[in-house]
């Protein structure tokens, strides 16, 4: 059974009004009494219901957002897009991460139980999709901001075109005569990894340059995996004239390995990433990449949730915002550097 303010009052031997004053920081209270109430609140794990606070207006005007970690380089762009919309409409944001694993999820679950927010935006922390789907089926409005192509049909989602974006990267490399690409993939259990691999490989197969298995290397979206993949190719004599990395971090690692070997970018090896995180335009040379509409995805997800609060049904199919290709110096020799 959920802990109530009456439970706290009974344990602390004070009135419910006194507990309320401690929670709200209002009224003159003896410090020892206030300390005793706070100790009982901690002991019982009581979480005040934001729903009760917002009862007069019918909702909390707070949106929850669950993300894996703020250390992921593209999370900030998605978050900013959502915040821009929410603040404009005078909504607050309650942000949750999974940095501490199960403990983080317990705290998140407590806030769900307390009805601390009206709806939820989610960038799926690994292993939580079934739980999120369960919350949605029980009546919590949820919109998934999807970077993995793994969304269940019953949860509204906003995503992008991984397959098409990777195909554009392949056609660009083909257009500049790069017929032997090395692919540094993302984690195999992410749907976006397969989509990017399929889109890229299909374009090469259509151009009569199918990619052999030896040039398809595993990765994990880190700088280290990009560096190690390219280094492995050099060490084992794999012949390649381009690298397609499944995100910008691994592309950055790949670039470093190419440059450390004494080869030039793009003259000897062209490099393409995926995401277009802010650092991509500032590598040396600037990184050619597939631009994910990260901020636009956050904006669209927030608008979908707010529209639902005003009576618009949540969509029963994904909202898709196309990715776009960004050619920069890692694939194209500039007039200033024709060597």
């Amino acid at each position: 059974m959920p802990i109530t303010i009456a439970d706290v009052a009974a344990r602390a031997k004070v009135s419910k009004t006194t507990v309320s004053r401690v929670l709200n920081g209002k009224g003159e209270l003896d410090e020892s009494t206030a300390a005793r109430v706070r100790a009982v609140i901690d002991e019982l794990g009581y979480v005040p219901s934001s729903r009760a606070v917002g009862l007069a207006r019918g909702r909390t005007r707070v949106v929850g957002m669950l993300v894996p970690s703020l250390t992921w380089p593209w999370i900030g762009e998605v978050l900013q897009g959502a915040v821009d919309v929410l603040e404009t409409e005078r909504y607050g944001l309650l942000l949750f991460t999974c940095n501490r694993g199960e403990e983080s999820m317990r705290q998140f679950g407590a806030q769900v139980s307390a009805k601390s927010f009206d709806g939820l935006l989610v960038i799926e922390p690994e292993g939580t999709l079934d739980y999120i789907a369960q919350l949605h089926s029980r009546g919590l409005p949820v919109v998934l901001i999807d970077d993995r192509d793994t969304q269940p049909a019953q949860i509204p989602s906003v995503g992008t075109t991984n397959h098409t974006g990777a195909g554009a990267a392949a056609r660009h490399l083909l257009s500049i005569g790069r017929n032997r690409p090395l692919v540094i993939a993302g984690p195999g259990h992410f749907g976006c990894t397969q989509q990017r691999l399929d889109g890229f490989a299909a374009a090469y197969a259509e151009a009569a340059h199918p990619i052999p298995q030896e040039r398809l290397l595993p990765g994990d979206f880190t700088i280290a995996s990009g560096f190690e993949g390219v280094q492995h190719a050099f060490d084992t004599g794999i012949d390649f004239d381009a690298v397609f990395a499944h995100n910008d971090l691994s592309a950055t690692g790949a670039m470093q390995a190419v440059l450390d070997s004494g080869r030039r970018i793009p003259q000897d090896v062209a490099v393409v990433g995926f995401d277009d995180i802010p650092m991509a335009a500032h590598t040396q040379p600037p990184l050619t990449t597939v631009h994910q509409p990260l901020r636009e995805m956050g904006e669209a997800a927030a608008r979908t949730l707010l529209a639902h609060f005003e009576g618009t049904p949540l969509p029963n199919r994904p909202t898709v915002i196309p990715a776009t290709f960004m050619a920069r110096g890692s694939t194209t020799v500039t007039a200033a550097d024709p060597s």
Side-chain angles (χ1 to χ4, degrees):
M1 295 293 291
I3 303 299
T4 68
I5 196 169
D7 297 324
V8 175
R11 178 70 65 88
K13 296 182 171 55
V14 297
S15 69
K16 291 191 290 185
T17 300
T18 298
V19 176
S20 179
R21 286 176 177 171
V22 172
L23 291 168
N24 296 322
K26 295 180 178 179
E28 301 248 343
L29 285 172
D30 176 74
E31 184 51 40
S32 63
T33 300
R36 186 168 76 253
V37 170
R38 285 192 289 268
V40 170
I41 289 171
D42 290 340
E43 176 188 346
L44 297 179
Y46 173 67
V47 179
S49 172
S50 297
R51 187 182 182 89
V53 175
L55 188 60
R57 59 192 178 198
R59 62 174 71 116
T60 67
R61 296 193 71 84
V62 173
V63 167
M65 189 166 185
L66 177 65
V67 305
S69 171
L70 295 180
T71 62
W72 290 18
W74 54 268
I75 290 282
E77 286 293 298
V78 178
L79 182 59
Q80 189 61 59
V83 167
D84 287 346
V85 171
L86 295 174
E87 288 186 347
T88 297
E89 298 300 324
R90 300 186 182 279
Y91 273 75
L93 179 71
L94 193 55
L95 181 64
F96 304 92
T97 74
C98 285
N99 288 329
R100 292 180 293 143
E102 291 184 4
E103 175 61 25
S104 294
M105 290 307 296
R106 278 195 293 271
Q107 291 185 0
F108 170 70
Q111 295 299 322
V112 172
S113 298
K115 303 186 186 302
S116 299
F117 43 85
D118 300 324
L120 182 66
L121 302 174
V122 179
I123 300 173
E124 179 212 341
E126 195 168 345
T128 64
L129 198 55
D130 288 345
Y131 175 54
I132 300 305
Q134 186 179 76
L135 293 179
H136 183 61
S137 68
R138 290 177 178 175
L140 178 67
V142 175
V143 179
L144 189 65
I145 303 170
D146 176 50
D147 66 308
R148 303 181 189 177
D149 285 321
T150 56
Q151 71 275 9
Q154 70 269 28
I155 301 182
S157 65
V158 177
T160 190
T161 49
N162 287 294
H163 189 284
T164 303
R171 287 187 291 274
H172 172 73
L173 289 173
L174 285 162
S175 74
I176 59 174
R178 305 306 172 104
N179 299 328
R180 306 184 310 280
L182 185 74
V183 177
I184 311 292
H189 58 284
F190 284 4
C192 63
T193 294
Q194 194 60 51
Q195 289 285 324
R196 293 172 193 179
L197 181 58
D198 290 348
F200 190 81
Y204 268 88
E206 289 168 8
H209 294 290
I211 304 172
Q213 189 63 40
E214 68 174 5
R215 286 200 255 114
L216 302 177
L217 302 182
D220 61 5
F221 286 160
T222 63
I223 291 175
S225 72
F227 185 94
E228 291 163 3
V230 169
Q231 192 62 58
H232 167 79
F234 287 147
D235 291 345
T236 56
I238 296 174
D239 180 35
F240 64 99
D241 58 8
V243 177
F244 173 51
H246 279 189
N247 78 336
D248 291 343
L249 287 184
S250 50
T252 301
M255 290 175 67
Q256 189 61 56
V258 171
L259 295 173
D260 284 357
S261 75
R263 293 167 176 85
R264 300 168 300 167
I265 300 173
Q267 294 89 339
D268 300 317
V269 179
V271 181
V272 180
F274 206 110
D275 284 343
D276 198 21
I277 60 176
M279 70 173 282
H282 303 288
T283 58
Q284 288 299 323
L287 179 63
T288 293
T289 188
V290 179
H291 173 80
Q292 283 209 83
L294 300 169
R295 187 169 296 209
E296 294 90 337
M297 290 162 67
E299 291 172 351
R303 288 195 189 99
T304 298
L305 203 54
L306 296 191
H308 175 69
F309 297 157
E310 299 303 319
T312 301
L314 289 170
N316 56 12
R317 63 181 61 186
T319 299
V320 179
I321 305 174
T324 53
F325 185 73
M326 305 291 294
R328 298 192 180 108
S330 67
T331 59
T332 304
V333 178
T334 64
D337 184 20
S339 58

